[in-house]
Structure formats: C-alpha cells, structure tokens
Amino acid sequence: MSERGREPTAPFGVAEVSGPSMYPTLRQGDQLLVHYGARVRPGDVAVLRHPLQQDLLIVKRLVERRGGGWWVLGDNPGAEGDSRVFGAVPPELLLGRVCGRFRPRRPDQRSAAAVASWVLTAVRPVLCDRSVSRRLRAR
C-alpha cells in the first residue's frame, strides 16, 4: 500500500492498494480515500503502520480490541500478513479509516458495456461490516 501527497495535518488523503489481502473488498490498484485520525470501530477497514516494519502501510479490517491493540485481518482468507502473523496492532500505529475506494479503469475496458459497468462500480463507499468481523474472528 502506498500513500501519495498527503500533508501531515490534512484530515483526508489518498492511498493505493497493493496486494491481495483485502480481496474482494479491495483490489490491487484501488485508490482509497482515507480519513486520518477518524474514530474507528470493529468492522471498519483501516490504514495502519505494519507493527514489524513501520515504514510499510497496510490496509486491514479491524476485528476487535485485544490487549491494548487492534486485532486486524484481511478479507481474503488465503492471504497472509495480518494479526495471525504479528499479533495485535498498537493503537498508535492506526492511522485512519478507509471511507471509500475508486477503482481505476483497466485499459482493456473499451466496449460500451465494459465502460458502463465500470462507471456504475468505480466509486464505492467502504462501509463498516460487523458481520464480516464476526466471521473473521471465527477463523
């Protein structure tokens, strides 16, 4: 995940998804609108600093507060790199809540039907999903 051109005091910023851990909610190349410093709750998708490599930003779903930190999981059960590997993420590493995503148009989307489909699905809110949070906890 990469963050582009964010002023340190700006409440909103844009980040780009890299990797499959949040599929199908987020895909490689999706642009995210991030509300930095926003209040979060279980089920939210958030941007965090990786607890073992703090110069790396990650995007995960917040499952629950555990032992002074957030237990986070990706929506893709086959992908690794979440709290199952590094444990709870300290709250000071939580940067912000993902509010929405923009899916850029692929170069192969040239037909009228493909463009129309993209127009209808390109911009979406990323909502809190507490049911996903409960399912993920059961893993």
Side-chain angles (χ1 to χ4, degrees):
M1 163 160 217
S2 64
E3 184 179 39
R4 296 178 300 145
R6 177 179 170 252
E7 292 295 322
T9 58
F12 290 94
V14 176
E16 183 174 326
V17 174
S18 61
S21 73
M22 287 300 293
Y23 183 83
T25 306
L26 303 173
R27 296 180 188 166
Q28 174 85 17
D30 282 354
Q31 305 293 309
L32 305 178
L33 176 62
V34 182
H35 185 184
Y36 291 96
R39 291 182 54 170
V40 294
R41 60 186 177 168
D44 283 342
V45 175
V47 173
L48 312 102
R49 293 199 181 280
H50 193 288
L52 304 177
Q53 187 180 347
Q54 293 183 13
D55 60 334
L56 176 65
L57 298 181
I58 58 176
V59 59
K60 302 292 177 197
R61 190 169 300 277
L62 304 175
V63 178
E64 66 183 4
R65 299 245 359 186
R66 285 190 186 176
W70 280 99
W71 191 260
V72 300
L73 295 173
D75 285 0
N76 181 348
E80 295 184 358
D82 54 30
S83 286
R84 296 172 292 172
V85 173
F86 48 71
V89 178
E92 61 271 14
L93 299 182
L94 181 98
L95 300 178
R97 179 174 43 86
V98 174
C99 301
R101 66 116 176 113
F102 169 74
R103 186 160 291 150
R105 192 166 69 99
R106 296 187 326 257
D108 64 337
Q109 292 177 311
R110 296 179 190 191
S111 71
V115 171
S117 174
W118 171 79
V119 165
L120 294 173
T121 64
V123 178
R124 294 278 176 161
V126 176
L127 304 173
C128 177
D129 189 342
R130 296 179 68 94
S131 66
V132 171
S133 175
R134 285 191 293 276
R135 281 197 316 269
L136 291 172
R137 244 183 292 160
R139 283 196 226 162

